[in-house]
Amino acid sequence: MADTHSTRRINMPDRFERPGILQFIAYVLLAAFVIWSFQGAGWSFSALVSGGPAMADFLSRTWPPSMDRLPQLSSALVETFQMALVGTIIGIIVSLPLAILAAKGLTKQSFVSRIFYSGSRLLIALFRTVPDLVWALVFVITVGLGPFAGTLAIAVDTIGFCGRFFAESMEDVEKGPSEALTAAGASKVDTIFCAVIPAAMPSFVTTSLFALEKATRSSVVLGLVGAGGIGIELKVAMDFFDYQLAMTIILMIFVLVLLVERIGSIARNRILEGNTQ
């Protein structure tokens, strides 16, 4: 027993090492920056507490939810999901060739290939960095108000999202099958479509499902700038202080997002289970 206890004492994890002077200064500066950020963000516990009665008054005025325009709202909700679905599909289709060009080691090492590699990564970074609400404003100016502008904005945002993760998934694929095909004389295209993409397909599917969930939430916000969907209905209800109708819209959005996330979670679990068998 004594030997066991001594072994346990020896195997206990070490303490954190004492930081050096430069490390300590870096920690202090980081803490100061975080505190300064809270001040810049206007964080106030007193304002949060004093705003409680106003929030309670708002919630009391939203109940019971209004059912007067339920058919029209249902149609707008379906349009919202249609925007998310079509935008996601288009974004996934376009992001795949971009991801192939942006993945390291998949294309031939030449000057032209490096140009395509750098250009595709910059394009994916641009689509991912600019918020989807900004893209919606751009496409509203370009193609006018309506769901088409929102669909284009979701497609561009999905290209940035899926393009990055598709490229990383292909980079992380086991290199053995690709090297075997290359040694057998297969071309780069054959290697990509016969070894790399099939191995990365489970990751592609899960990323695509996450993209659809993300697009469903985004499509609601895009309606606030006139890009179609139920978001414009929510904005009008809030502008006219029709809080009961606004609560109805919020609950409908909640049910839609919850349903999409639930279906996506079930699909991901089945894909992972099938991949491990």
Side-chain angles (χ1 to χ4, degrees):
M1 293 295 292
D3 293 337
T4 303
H5 287 301
S6 62
T7 303
R8 288 179 179 174
R9 285 194 296 271
I10 292 172
N11 292 334
M12 287 181 65
D14 297 331
R15 289 186 174 187
F16 289 110
E17 294 183 2
R18 179 176 297 179
I21 182 65
L22 294 178
Q23 214 173 5
F24 178 75
I25 293 174
Y27 288 153
V28 171
L29 291 176
L30 179 61
F33 180 77
V34 171
I35 295 172
W36 176 67
S37 298
F38 269 90
Q39 293 176 348
W43 181 262
S44 172
F45 282 105
S46 60
L48 187 63
V49 173
S50 62
M55 176 60 72
D57 177 66
F58 167 74
L59 293 176
S60 65
R61 294 167 66 182
T62 61
W63 201 263
S66 174
M67 300 297 174
D68 295 338
R69 301 185 62 246
L70 196 59
Q72 294 87 345
L73 295 178
S74 299
S75 177
L77 189 69
V78 171
E79 182 180 87
T80 298
F81 181 69
Q82 290 172 334
M83 288 166 47
L85 181 62
V86 175
T88 302
I89 292 173
I90 295 173
I92 291 170
I93 293 173
V94 176
S95 64
L96 183 57
L98 276 178
I100 293 174
L101 294 174
K104 294 180 181 179
L106 291 189
T107 55
K108 295 180 179 180
Q109 298 302 314
S110 63
F111 178 74
V112 176
S113 297
R114 286 195 291 270
I115 292 177
F116 279 112
Y117 169 77
S118 301
S120 58
R121 292 188 74 90
L122 285 174
L123 193 62
I124 290 173
L126 174 65
F127 290 166
R128 189 177 69 252
T129 303
V130 178
D132 49 9
L133 193 62
V134 176
W135 288 118
L137 290 171
V138 171
F139 287 120
V140 164
I141 296 172
T142 305
V143 302
L145 299 172
F148 185 45
T151 303
L152 292 175
I154 292 172
V156 171
D157 186 66
T158 302
I159 292 171
F161 180 80
C162 289
R164 175 189 174 185
F165 290 106
F166 283 2
E168 292 181 353
S169 298
M170 288 186 286
E171 291 174 356
D172 294 337
V173 164
E174 177 64 34
K175 300 295 189 283
S178 301
E179 294 174 352
L181 285 176
T182 303
S187 64
K188 280 286 186 180
V189 176
D190 294 334
T191 302
I192 291 171
F193 285 95
C194 295
V196 178
I197 291 181
M201 188 58 67
S203 179
F204 285 1
V205 175
T206 54
T207 300
S208 301
L209 291 172
F210 277 124
L212 179 59
E213 296 173 12
K214 180 175 178 292
T216 304
R217 293 189 295 269
S218 299
S219 60
V220 175
V221 181
L222 299 184
L224 299 178
V225 296
I230 202 171
I232 187 64
E233 298 284 353
L234 179 60
K235 183 179 185 301
V236 171
M238 296 296 288
D239 288 344
F240 284 91
F241 305 103
D242 192 350
Y243 296 137
Q244 291 179 319
L245 182 62
M247 177 55 71
T248 302
I249 297 172
I250 292 171
L251 291 175
M252 293 175 70
I253 295 170
F254 172 74
V255 171
L256 174 63
V257 173
L258 192 66
L259 184 62
V260 172
E261 290 184 351
R262 182 57 181 166
I263 294 174
S265 177
I266 293 173
R268 282 193 301 273
N269 290 334
R270 290 188 176 181
I271 291 169
L272 292 175
E273 289 174 1
N275 193 42
T276 55
Q277 290 178 356

